[in-house]
Amino acid sequence: MKKLFLTASVAGILLFNSCSTVPLTGRSRFDLVSNDQVLPMAFQAYSTFLTENKTTVLPASNAQALKVKTVGSRLITAVKSYMNSNNYGNLIADYQWEVNVVQNNEKNAWCMPGGKIVVYTGILPVTQDDAGLATVMGHEIAHAIAGHSAERMSQEMVAQGIGAAAGVALSKNPKTQSIFNTLYGVGTPVAMLKFSRNQELEADRLGLIFMAMAGYNPQNATAFWNRMSAASAGAQKPAEFLSTHPSDATRITQIQKYLPEAQQYYKK
């Protein structure tokens, strides 16, 4: 009983001292790791992923890769503008943006902390056009900007009894690197650690703003999610991109609520 009380006390102290606010939305979050700790893990994991998939990474001259990289470049420019104009530029100062396309039938895409982006070709028939692609990529970039990976890692570290201290290189700890790799499916089944539905909706909201600033009409987002739902209909399990996301009806309802805000950032 005494041991249980001490464990609960330590957890309570950690929770109290490790709460922060998502600067873009004001949501309170549990944040045990900093950019200085998580970015080296992201860069290492991304490098490992590209090495493991080097035969399927499309060259920059490929038409599909060129399309994705072009949309990605516009979104990155928009994100930098948004962050700098809202005095959050320091949060992405150490980002090393990179976009790659992988030949894979899976309907998936992701963005690691530090701006490391991957889009699978399997999702391109569903995105159909630049606006659909911007919907997906804006959403994934928003996960990174909002610090969702660090938040998810913090929760998993507490669950596994792993501590963190300022200045400690978490990438040198096999357990923490494993947690990060599992989050992004590097050498493991894809995305075993899931983002919460609140995080998903938060990424939807921010993603709409980013795509609008990049010159893509955010109203096209609902069409993409309808196509994504139809593409996954009848499958034994949903596409990985949808597996932990809110229900289609919930997502589209929320997106419609977010659209007036995002529309203010849209210029043709």
Side-chain angles (χ1 to χ4, degrees):
M1 176 66 78
K2 184 177 181 180
K3 183 177 180 181
L4 180 62
F5 175 77
L6 288 173
T7 301
S9 298
V10 171
I13 293 170
L14 273 175
L15 181 63
F16 179 79
N17 291 329
S18 304
C19 284
S20 64
T21 301
V22 178
L24 306 177
T25 66
R27 180 177 62 85
S28 180
R29 66 181 176 191
F30 181 54
D31 192 4
L32 198 60
V33 296
S34 64
N35 265 357
D36 290 342
Q37 295 169 314
V38 77
L39 293 192
M41 285 189 290
F43 299 152
Q44 180 177 320
Y46 194 74
S47 178
T48 298
F49 175 87
L50 294 181
T51 298
E52 292 177 345
N53 294 274
K54 60 183 178 182
T55 60
T56 57
V57 176
L58 299 183
S61 58
N62 177 276
Q64 289 180 313
L66 182 61
K67 180 184 181 73
V68 173
K69 287 175 181 287
T70 299
V71 173
S73 179
R74 290 176 61 172
L75 284 166
I76 290 166
T77 298
V79 169
K80 289 179 178 178
S81 175
Y82 183 88
M83 297 295 280
N84 289 329
S85 63
N86 287 280
N87 298 316
Y88 296 127
N90 62 303
L91 296 180
I92 60 171
D94 296 324
Y95 271 42
Q96 298 175 16
W97 295 95
E98 186 174 353
V99 181
N100 280 288
V101 182
V102 172
Q103 186 71 48
N104 189 307
N105 291 331
E106 195 174 327
K107 298 178 181 65
N108 202 11
W110 41 262
C111 176
M112 289 183 178
K116 300 300 188 180
I117 303 167
V118 164
V119 174
Y120 294 176
T121 55
I123 204 170
L124 298 182
V126 187
T127 60
Q128 291 187 359
D129 53 26
D130 288 358
L133 190 54
T135 301
V136 171
M137 296 181 72
H139 172 93
E140 294 304 318
I141 289 171
H143 275 307
I145 296 301
H148 291 163
S149 295
E151 182 180 5
R152 186 65 188 88
M153 272 198 68
S154 298
Q155 294 165 346
E156 191 65 20
M157 287 168 64
V158 169
Q160 296 189 24
I162 302 172
V168 174
L170 296 183
S171 59
K172 301 299 183 181
N173 184 330
K175 289 185 178 180
T176 53
Q177 186 68 57
S178 176
I179 290 173
F180 188 92
N181 289 349
T182 301
L183 179 60
Y184 285 100
V186 179
T188 66
V190 174
M192 289 176 63
L193 300 181
K194 309 297 185 181
F195 290 125
S196 72
R197 294 193 175 189
N198 283 339
Q199 290 170 332
E200 291 295 341
L201 292 174
E202 191 168 59
D204 281 343
R205 176 187 171 189
L206 296 174
L208 290 172
I209 292 174
F210 296 154
M211 71 179 288
M213 290 188 68
Y216 303 104
N217 192 336
Q219 291 183 354
N220 289 300
T222 54
F224 163 76
W225 288 112
N226 280 323
R227 292 195 300 270
M228 193 69 187
S229 176
S232 301
Q236 289 185 339
K237 63 177 182 178
E240 188 61 43
F241 192 71
L242 287 175
S243 62
T244 58
H245 290 51
S247 68
D248 301 330
T250 297
R251 158 157 277 134
I252 291 174
T253 297
Q254 288 298 322
I255 284 176
Q256 289 172 340
K257 292 179 180 179
Y258 298 149
L259 278 176
E261 177 188 29
Q263 205 70 33
Q264 296 176 31
Y265 293 89
Y266 175 59
K267 295 181 181 180
K268 295 182 181 179

